[in-house]
Each structure stands twice: as structure tokens, then as C-alpha cells.
Amino acid sequence: MVKLPVETSSDPSSHFSGKITDPVPLPIQATSSATEIRSLTFSRWLFWVGLWLGLTMVVLIMCLRYGTQVIELPKMISLFFQAMTSSDQADVSTDPTNIILFQIRLPRLLLACLVGGSLAAVGVSLQALLRNPLADPSVLGISSGAALGAAIALLFGVGVSMWSVAALPICAFLGAVVSLMIIYQIAATNYGFSIYTLLLAGVVLSAIFSALIMFLASIADPNRVFGMMAWLMGSLTGPDYQTLGVLAVYLGIGFVVLGSQAQSLNLLTLGEEGARSLGVEVERVKKLVFFATALVTGAVVAFSGVIGFVGLIVPHAVRLVLGADHRLLLPMAGLTGGIFLMVADTVARTIFSPAEIPVGVVTALVGGPVFLYLLMNRRAQFIS
């Protein structure tokens, strides 16, 4: 068993000050005999998070420029200035470029940032909790379960009024919970979670849930079927600011829960027994992380459909650069996921302009090969 040298301190700032030295091994590699130990200071955390927040703003501005109509940067700055200072908002809002910028692109990119950040944070948490490098809501069938819950709700008319829009993520959340419970019962053993059992269970669940969704689509109003199919492939089309506000509430709750468990996730990468010996309430952490995972995935799927592989490839990329301390990894993966999905959405709506492809297709084309590489690499390690 790997033991952590911990210097206790009553000072709350010691969480970042370096008074607590946390040897944080790379996730899914808890059996490694040698792990680099590096404490996380508040200045290092602030530097990286601040830098990535600035990068996120730069990417947002660049993505706002591109589409069927390219908006030059001076024009964009002028429109933002007018929107903040003009006393006659009616004149500003009738400008076609203003409509494109503020009513179409900006809410869409904000939705992409929220969705991408959420999926990446969930991927980080699942990979640490399950100690599995291939854990991701779409791979494990959690997104499909949430999609089924949302599809059932849509079939009964939920999502039409503002109140029902707020209720739609709850229905998707329940579907995600059912999927998580099934996955857990199938894959959990006394020795952890079998990687191949997890993958097989996820594939089978996704197939079953997809078949049920197709059945619902076949008996639904034909006028809704096309929109449902586009939604299932992952779509960020047509959000408004009220919808973004509703989504932000759900995601905020999930982020707070996941962030509060960052230190416990660090210790869980050592294994459940090692974490228990260091005072972690493993079952409580599992319940909290599973709850937050289901809530965030359900909210995301309810408003954007199934967008795969973001939670798989982003955590790996960030972990390679910054290490595996989840106090830093969670926010950085969230910001990177937002950047990634904003870029993917810009590609989706410009590469075949004026036609548009679902953003889920872009993320699958990028994430699929990465998933196969990780699976083959894991298999090679297992054989050797």
C-alpha cells in the first residue's frame, strides 16, 4: 500500500499553501511504485486558472467572428460597445450583424462552453473514481440513459413552456441515474471495476437505450422526428439566454459537488482501501460523485443532445500537461473542454457553410481515434 506523508495544519489556507504535501499519482496508475510528488500552491493554481480563463475569452471572441458571415473584429467591438452604451436598444437590435452576433452566435458559443466544460469535468471525476482511463459519460452509456429520459419527457410534452424547460434536465437526470446504477451493478467487483466489463456494459446499454429512443421516435409526431434525430447527434442550435440560465443553475450545483470532492478523488486514485486508511468516506464520495455526474450529464444532454468523447480526450490532454491533482485538474479540464467544444462547434457550422453538421459528429471524428489508441495502449500494457 502506498502511504501519503501528510503534515496536518489547522490553517485553512494550507489547502493550497503547500503545508499539506499530497503525493498525487497519475490516475489509473495507482499500482506504480514510483510517483512524482508535487504540492499545489495557491499561486500555481491561480496562475493556470487565470491564464486559461484569458485563453477561453480569446477563443470565444475568435469563434464569434466566423460563420456564414465573417464579422470583423472592429465591427464586433463596435457592436459590443453600442450594446452596452446605446440608449436606443431598438435601433441596435435591428442591425442584421447585431442579430447574428448576440442572438445566434453568442448564446450558442456560451452553450458550447458550458457543455464542453461540464463533460470534461465529469470525465475527470469518473476516471478518478473508477480508476479507469476510458471512463466517459458517452462511452459508459450514461449519456444515452439521459437521452432516453429526455426523449420520454419530450414525448409527453415536457420542454414547451419555461417551467417544463427547467423540468427537462430532471427527467434526463433520472435516466442517467438508472444508467449509472446498471453500470455499477454489472461492473463492480471486490477488486474494483473491470475495464472490459465497463466498456461492454456501456456499449450494450447504449444500444438498448438507442433502440428505445428510435422506438419513441417512430411513434412520435413526424414533425418532431427530424429535430429529435439532430438533437441525438449533438446539437447546439438555437439556445436563448433563459435556457442558458436554467442550464447554469444545474451545472453550478454539479460543479460545486465535484469540486468539493477533489481531494478525495486524489486519494481514491490509490485505491479504495488506501483511501479508507487515510480517512476518506469512500461510499459517501461515490454517492456524491455519481449524483453530480448524473445531474450534470442529464442537464447537458437535455439541452444539447449526446456529444461524445469530450470527457475522454480533454482530461487526458490536461493531465499530461499539469499532472493529476484534481484540485487543479478539475477547473482546468472544465475550461479546456469549453475551449474544445467552442472550436468544434465553429468547425461544424463553417466547414460546409452554409450547411451545418452536428457538433457531435465533429467530436466523434476527433475522439474516436483517440479512444481506440487508448484502448489498444491499455490492452498492450495488460498483456505485457
Side-chain angles (χ1 to χ4, degrees), residues 207-228:
I208 293 172
F209 291 149
S210 296
L212 291 174
I213 292 171
M214 293 301 103
F215 169 73
L216 293 177
S218 68
I219 63 175
D221 182 354
N223 295 324
R224 295 184 178 181
V225 172
F226 179 78
M228 182 178 291

Side-chain angles (χ1 to χ4, degrees), residues 174-193:
L174 294 175
V177 168
V178 171
S179 179
L180 266 172
M181 291 174 62
I182 295 173
I183 286 286
Y184 188 85
Q185 291 299 320
I186 292 175
T189 68
N190 292 332
Y191 304 100
F193 295 86

Side-chain angles (χ1 to χ4, degrees), residues 4 15-16 22-25 27 40 45 121 124-129 254-270 275 280 284-286 288-289 292 323-332:
L4 302 181
H15 187 70
F16 283 110
D22 300 313
V24 185
L40 175 67
W45 185 93
V124 166
S125 303
L126 286 175
Q127 289 169 16
L129 187 67
F255 284 155
V256 169
V257 174
L258 292 178
S260 68
Q261 301 306 308
Q263 184 70 350
S264 297
L265 291 175
N266 282 343
L267 300 179
L268 275 170
T269 58
L270 298 172
V280 177
R284 177 176 174 273
V285 173
K286 283 183 181 179
L288 286 173
V289 173
D325 192 327
H326 288 79
R327 294 172 296 180
L328 180 61
L329 182 59
L330 270 170
M332 290 298 294

Side-chain angles (χ1 to χ4, degrees), residues 227-253:
M228 182 178 291
M229 293 300 101
W231 169 71
L232 288 175
M233 288 187 287
S235 175
L236 301 171
T237 304
D240 54 40
Y241 293 105
Q242 286 183 322
T243 300
L244 292 174
V246 172
L247 178 61
V249 171
Y250 285 101
L251 299 184
I253 296 172

